[in-house]
PDB file of all heavy atoms in Angstrom:
ATOM      1  N   LEU Z   5      64.234  80.284 105.197  1.00  0.00           N
ATOM      2  CA  LEU Z   5      64.221  81.330 104.194  1.00  0.00           C
ATOM      3  C   LEU Z   5      65.181  82.421 104.652  1.00  0.00           C
ATOM      4  O   LEU Z   5      64.919  83.127 105.626  1.00  0.00           O
ATOM      5  CB  LEU Z   5      62.816  81.902 104.001  1.00  0.00           C
ATOM      6  CG  LEU Z   5      62.704  82.988 102.944  1.00  0.00           C
ATOM      7  CD1 LEU Z   5      63.020  82.424 101.549  1.00  0.00           C
ATOM      8  CD2 LEU Z   5      61.324  83.627 102.961  1.00  0.00           C
ATOM      9  N   LEU Z  13      61.090  91.482  98.280  1.00  0.00           N
ATOM     10  CA  LEU Z  13      61.162  90.185  97.616  1.00  0.00           C
ATOM     11  C   LEU Z  13      61.024  89.048  98.616  1.00  0.00           C
ATOM     12  O   LEU Z  13      60.423  88.015  98.316  1.00  0.00           O
ATOM     13  CB  LEU Z  13      62.472  90.045  96.836  1.00  0.00           C
ATOM     14  CG  LEU Z  13      62.671  91.019  95.680  1.00  0.00           C
ATOM     15  CD1 LEU Z  13      64.046  90.814  95.059  1.00  0.00           C
ATOM     16  CD2 LEU Z  13      61.576  90.878  94.645  1.00  0.00           C
ATOM     17  N   ALA Z  17      58.374  86.067  98.652  1.00  0.00           N
ATOM     18  CA  ALA Z  17      58.796  84.667  98.756  1.00  0.00           C
ATOM     19  C   ALA Z  17      58.019  83.950  99.852  1.00  0.00           C
ATOM     20  O   ALA Z  17      57.570  82.818  99.659  1.00  0.00           O
ATOM     21  CB  ALA Z  17      60.301  84.582  99.020  1.00  0.00           C
ATOM     22  N   LYS Z  18      57.838  84.603 101.007  1.00  0.00           N
ATOM     23  CA  LYS Z  18      57.072  83.990 102.098  1.00  0.00           C
ATOM     24  C   LYS Z  18      55.647  83.676 101.657  1.00  0.00           C
ATOM     25  O   LYS Z  18      55.123  82.599 101.949  1.00  0.00           O
ATOM     26  CB  LYS Z  18      57.039  84.915 103.320  1.00  0.00           C
ATOM     27  CG  LYS Z  18      58.330  84.944 104.095  1.00  0.00           C
ATOM     28  CD  LYS Z  18      58.147  85.722 105.374  1.00  0.00           C
ATOM     29  CE  LYS Z  18      58.841  87.051 105.239  1.00  0.00           C
ATOM     30  NZ  LYS Z  18      58.823  87.856 106.464  1.00  0.00           N
ATOM     31  N   ALA Z  19      55.032  84.604 100.944  1.00  0.00           N
ATOM     32  CA  ALA Z  19      53.662  84.389 100.468  1.00  0.00           C
ATOM     33  C   ALA Z  19      53.609  83.227  99.475  1.00  0.00           C
ATOM     34  O   ALA Z  19      52.685  82.404  99.525  1.00  0.00           O
ATOM     35  CB  ALA Z  19      53.130  85.664  99.826  1.00  0.00           C
ATOM     36  N   GLU Z  22      53.917  79.917 101.356  1.00  0.00           N
ATOM     37  CA  GLU Z  22      52.648  79.588 102.006  1.00  0.00           C
ATOM     38  C   GLU Z  22      51.613  79.118 100.994  1.00  0.00           C
ATOM     39  O   GLU Z  22      50.860  78.177 101.259  1.00  0.00           O
ATOM     40  CB  GLU Z  22      52.139  80.793 102.792  1.00  0.00           C
ATOM     41  CG  GLU Z  22      52.978  81.085 104.017  1.00  0.00           C
ATOM     42  CD  GLU Z  22      52.563  82.357 104.737  1.00  0.00           C
ATOM     43  OE1 GLU Z  22      51.533  82.969 104.365  1.00  0.00           O
ATOM     44  OE2 GLU Z  22      53.281  82.747 105.663  1.00  0.00           O
ATOM     45  N   ASP Z  30      62.166  82.058 109.057  1.00  0.00           N
ATOM     46  CA  ASP Z  30      62.849  83.246 108.551  1.00  0.00           C
ATOM     47  C   ASP Z  30      64.163  83.445 109.299  1.00  0.00           C
ATOM     48  O   ASP Z  30      64.183  83.427 110.538  1.00  0.00           O
ATOM     49  CB  ASP Z  30      61.998  84.492 108.746  1.00  0.00           C
ATOM     50  CG  ASP Z  30      60.747  84.497 107.904  1.00  0.00           C
ATOM     51  OD1 ASP Z  30      60.770  83.888 106.814  1.00  0.00           O
ATOM     52  OD2 ASP Z  30      59.749  85.107 108.313  1.00  0.00           O
ATOM     53  N   ILE Z  33      69.754  87.607 107.397  1.00  0.00           N
ATOM     54  CA  ILE Z  33      71.192  87.481 107.126  1.00  0.00           C
ATOM     55  C   ILE Z  33      71.987  88.649 107.701  1.00  0.00           C
ATOM     56  O   ILE Z  33      73.207  88.543 107.846  1.00  0.00           O
ATOM     57  CB  ILE Z  33      71.473  87.346 105.618  1.00  0.00           C
ATOM     58  CG1 ILE Z  33      71.036  88.598 104.861  1.00  0.00           C
ATOM     59  CG2 ILE Z  33      70.816  86.088 105.058  1.00  0.00           C
ATOM     60  CD1 ILE Z  33      71.578  88.684 103.451  1.00  0.00           C
ATOM     61  N   ASP Z  35      72.016  89.561 110.631  1.00  0.00           N
ATOM     62  CA  ASP Z  35      72.433  89.196 111.987  1.00  0.00           C
ATOM     63  C   ASP Z  35      73.675  88.315 112.007  1.00  0.00           C
ATOM     64  O   ASP Z  35      74.159  87.964 113.082  1.00  0.00           O
ATOM     65  CB  ASP Z  35      71.301  88.461 112.711  1.00  0.00           C
ATOM     66  CG  ASP Z  35      70.082  89.350 112.917  1.00  0.00           C
ATOM     67  OD1 ASP Z  35      70.241  90.589 112.988  1.00  0.00           O
ATOM     68  OD2 ASP Z  35      68.970  88.808 113.011  1.00  0.00           O
ATOM     69  N   GLY Z  44      74.066  87.795 100.669  1.00  0.00           N
ATOM     70  CA  GLY Z  44      73.734  89.217 100.642  1.00  0.00           C
ATOM     71  C   GLY Z  44      73.158  89.727  99.335  1.00  0.00           C
ATOM     72  O   GLY Z  44      72.228  90.519  99.324  1.00  0.00           O
ATOM     73  N   ILE Z  47      69.375  87.154  98.184  1.00  0.00           N
ATOM     74  CA  ILE Z  47      68.146  86.913  98.925  1.00  0.00           C
ATOM     75  C   ILE Z  47      66.929  87.308  98.111  1.00  0.00           C
ATOM     76  O   ILE Z  47      67.024  88.190  97.269  1.00  0.00           O
ATOM     77  CB  ILE Z  47      68.140  87.618 100.293  1.00  0.00           C
ATOM     78  CG1 ILE Z  47      68.257  89.124 100.132  1.00  0.00           C
ATOM     79  CG2 ILE Z  47      69.177  87.046 101.207  1.00  0.00           C
ATOM     80  CD1 ILE Z  47      68.051  89.905 101.394  1.00  0.00           C
ATOM     81  N   PRO Z  48      65.833  86.617  98.362  1.00  0.00           N
ATOM     82  CA  PRO Z  48      65.616  85.513  99.285  1.00  0.00           C
ATOM     83  C   PRO Z  48      66.109  84.178  98.715  1.00  0.00           C
ATOM     84  O   PRO Z  48      66.075  83.948  97.507  1.00  0.00           O
ATOM     85  CB  PRO Z  48      64.100  85.475  99.453  1.00  0.00           C
ATOM     86  CG  PRO Z  48      63.562  86.075  98.186  1.00  0.00           C
ATOM     87  CD  PRO Z  48      64.581  87.071  97.719  1.00  0.00           C
ATOM     88  N   LEU Z  59      67.055  76.975  96.900  1.00  0.00           N
ATOM     89  CA  LEU Z  59      66.199  77.494  95.848  1.00  0.00           C
ATOM     90  C   LEU Z  59      66.292  79.013  95.927  1.00  0.00           C
ATOM     91  O   LEU Z  59      65.849  79.619  96.900  1.00  0.00           O
ATOM     92  CB  LEU Z  59      64.755  77.032  96.032  1.00  0.00           C
ATOM     93  CG  LEU Z  59      63.754  77.516  94.982  1.00  0.00           C
ATOM     94  CD1 LEU Z  59      64.127  76.991  93.595  1.00  0.00           C
ATOM     95  CD2 LEU Z  59      62.343  77.093  95.352  1.00  0.00           C
ATOM     96  N   PRO Z  62      64.409  84.216  91.465  1.00  0.00           N
ATOM     97  CA  PRO Z  62      62.957  84.191  91.610  1.00  0.00           C
ATOM     98  C   PRO Z  62      62.403  82.774  91.581  1.00  0.00           C
ATOM     99  O   PRO Z  62      62.959  81.899  90.924  1.00  0.00           O
ATOM    100  CB  PRO Z  62      62.473  84.966  90.387  1.00  0.00           C
ATOM    101  CG  PRO Z  62      63.521  84.718  89.357  1.00  0.00           C
ATOM    102  CD  PRO Z  62      64.810  84.583  90.108  1.00  0.00           C
ATOM    103  N   SER Z  67      57.585  75.997  91.332  1.00  0.00           N
ATOM    104  CA  SER Z  67      58.991  75.642  91.553  1.00  0.00           C
ATOM    105  C   SER Z  67      59.253  75.291  93.016  1.00  0.00           C
ATOM    106  O   SER Z  67      60.095  74.446  93.312  1.00  0.00           O
ATOM    107  CB  SER Z  67      59.930  76.743  91.064  1.00  0.00           C
ATOM    108  OG  SER Z  67      59.667  77.966  91.704  1.00  0.00           O
TER     109      SER Z  67
END
Side-chain angles (χ1 to χ4, degrees):
L5 181 65
L13 296 177
K18 284 188 253 185
E22 290 175 7
D30 293 331
I33 63 166
D35 296 333
I47 61 171
L59 180 62
S67 58

